[in-house]
Amino acid sequence: MATWKRDGRVTGCQRLGCAGLAGALSLSLTAPLELLTVLAQVGTSPPWRGLWQAGRSVCQAEGIGALWKGNLTACLRLFPYSALQLASYRRFVMLFTDDLGHISQWSAIMAGSLAGTVATIVTYPTDVVKTRLIVQNRLEPSYKGILHAFYIIYHQEGFLALYRGVSLTVLGAIPFSAGSFFVYINLNKIWQEPNFRFSPLQNFINGCLAAGVAQTLSFPFETVKRKMQAQSPCLPHYGGVDVHFTGVVDCFRQTVKTKGVLGLWCGLTANLLKIVPYYGVMFSTFEFCKRVCLYRNGYIESPLSYKLIPGVDQSLQPQELQELKFLRRGNFEPPKPTLEN
């Protein structure tokens, strides 16, 4: 059992800003690997090519900037996604928490998975647009930008085209949660010590390991989802998808028939390679941004460390701490001198 508690010294807006900035930076640094993953899933990039060869062919055909196709859409999606995920996570945690304020490990993982699913479904149209921008030729684009892509997809294919493949997000959450839970219940055996003694480095390794296992198990659903997002009769070569299908089940069937069972895991290598730099940059950036917020709020001496300011009650909320400082400043303010006649 664990007790869920967030750091009350950081406001909700500050937490959202930290998460958004950390996510945008980590997405931008790993965008080339994300692009290679999507191209392999859709089938635009031949599976026999290595990552270096695939990346070089993209640069030669469309320029080095093509490695960041769709990244702006992914970064803009972060803020509504993070806000929805944080709000949903709090709701689900409150739902799963008992009267003593404890929550089981499985319930905590389920809360995170459900929160991510809710945020993904609401922001799903932006994910469709990102996929379309990635698979199109940058020199001969079908879409001139994010808003143009929304407009064209809506008017040519209808509103439901923006949610094509969304059911796979829900289905993929099942193996994803199961994989995460499998890793976390065996961490004590891996490290030969209880989880409350884990160091920050161990927690980081645990997170990367859980993400790797969970994403590997749910990757076939992600592959089919990308194919469904990319396929369109209004695009040249049906969006460049390597198989033609009529629905979710048919997409699974045609992929296995054409490329074999392992075809459902095309692009997994690039996806796994981005886990460590993605989470490393995200966690380190988030922690630094959080220290900056704690420093501005008056809890720590410097944004470069977590050294607490002596005499400051760390249990106070930022607004309460500011009000207390204001009262102390008023009480100890020296009286103004008066002029004597």
Side-chain angles (χ1 to χ4, degrees):
M1 301 292 286
T3 302
W4 182 79
K5 185 179 180 182
R6 62 172 182 167
D7 195 338
R9 300 174 299 171
V10 181
T11 65
C13 291
Q14 289 176 332
R15 190 178 299 107
L16 180 61
C18 292
L21 183 60
L25 184 58
S26 56
L27 280 174
S28 299
L29 291 177
T30 58
L33 288 173
E34 172 67 10
L35 177 129
L36 296 178
T37 300
V38 173
L39 292 181
Q41 289 175 321
V42 173
T44 304
S45 177
W48 46 265
R49 282 188 177 181
L51 294 178
W52 175 257
Q53 291 178 322
R56 187 172 62 178
S57 65
V58 171
C59 292
Q60 290 175 345
E62 305 178 49
I64 193 171
L67 295 175
W68 280 267
K69 288 190 297 184
N71 183 59
L72 179 59
T73 310
C75 292
L76 293 177
R77 177 175 178 258
L78 263 179
F79 291 95
Y81 181 92
S82 299
L84 288 166
Q85 187 182 39
L86 289 172
S88 302
Y89 182 69
R90 290 181 60 189
R91 293 289 184 181
F92 286 122
V93 164
M94 292 172 63
L95 181 65
F96 296 148
T97 302
D98 59 24
D99 296 334
L100 299 178
H102 297 98
I103 182 172
S104 66
Q105 202 165 45
W106 170 248
S107 297
I109 293 174
M110 280 300 300
S113 298
L114 290 173
T117 302
V118 170
T120 299
I121 292 175
V122 175
T123 61
Y124 193 81
T126 58
D127 196 38
V128 174
V129 169
K130 186 192 83 168
T131 301
R132 294 288 183 92
L133 293 176
I134 286 177
V135 299
Q136 74 173 357
N137 190 314
R138 185 164 170 256
L139 302 181
E140 300 176 355
S142 301
Y143 310 109
K144 299 178 182 179
I146 300 172
L147 295 179
H148 186 250
F150 273 110
Y151 178 83
I152 294 297
I153 294 173
Y154 175 77
H155 282 274
Q156 289 186 349
E157 305 175 49
F159 176 76
L160 293 180
L162 293 170
Y163 280 90
R164 189 175 295 152
V166 68
S167 60
L168 292 158
T169 298
V170 180
L171 294 174
I174 299 174
F176 188 93
S177 301
S180 300
F181 183 67
F182 174 79
V183 171
Y184 280 111
I185 62 176
N186 288 285
L187 290 177
N188 295 348
K189 300 177 183 178
I190 296 174
W191 297 109
Q192 299 296 317
E193 60 179 340
N195 54 13
F196 62 85
R197 292 183 179 177
F198 291 163
S199 66
L201 178 60
Q202 286 175 311
N203 286 326
F204 173 73
I205 296 175
N206 296 339
C208 292
L209 181 61
V213 173
Q215 291 182 21
T216 300
L217 293 177
S218 62
F219 202 77
F221 297 93
E222 186 74 13
T223 298
V224 174
K225 183 187 77 173
R226 293 297 181 192
K227 292 181 186 296
M228 296 192 68
Q229 289 177 338
Q231 179 177 270
S232 172
C234 302
L235 294 177
H237 310 291
Y238 275 76
V241 183
D242 55 355
V243 294
H244 297 292
F245 48 87
T246 57
V248 175
V249 177
D250 190 45
C251 186
F252 273 103
R253 185 187 300 114
Q254 295 300 328
T255 301
V256 173
K257 180 180 178 180
T258 305
K259 307 177 70 174
V261 176
L262 293 181
L264 295 171
W265 278 270
C266 281
L268 179 63
T269 302
N271 188 70
L272 294 179
L273 285 176
K274 76 177 183 181
I275 288 178
V276 173
Y278 178 86
Y279 286 105
V281 172
M282 184 174 65
F283 288 149
S284 58
T285 304
F286 182 85
E287 285 299 312
F288 177 75
C289 293
K290 180 182 175 181
R291 288 197 300 267
V292 172
C293 293
L294 291 175
Y295 172 72
R296 290 180 60 85
N297 293 347
Y299 293 100
I300 61 177
E301 294 184 350
S302 169
L304 301 179
S305 69
Y306 274 113
K307 187 176 182 180
L308 305 178
I309 297 179
V312 174
D313 188 352
Q314 301 292 324
S315 64
L316 293 177
Q317 301 284 331
Q319 185 177 358
E320 296 173 338
L321 182 60
Q322 295 302 320
E323 291 176 354
L324 181 61
K325 288 182 177 181
F326 179 77
L327 291 175
R328 287 178 177 176
R329 192 181 301 115
N331 292 335
F332 291 98
E333 186 176 354
K336 296 181 180 180
T338 56
L339 298 176
E340 296 182 358
N341 293 330

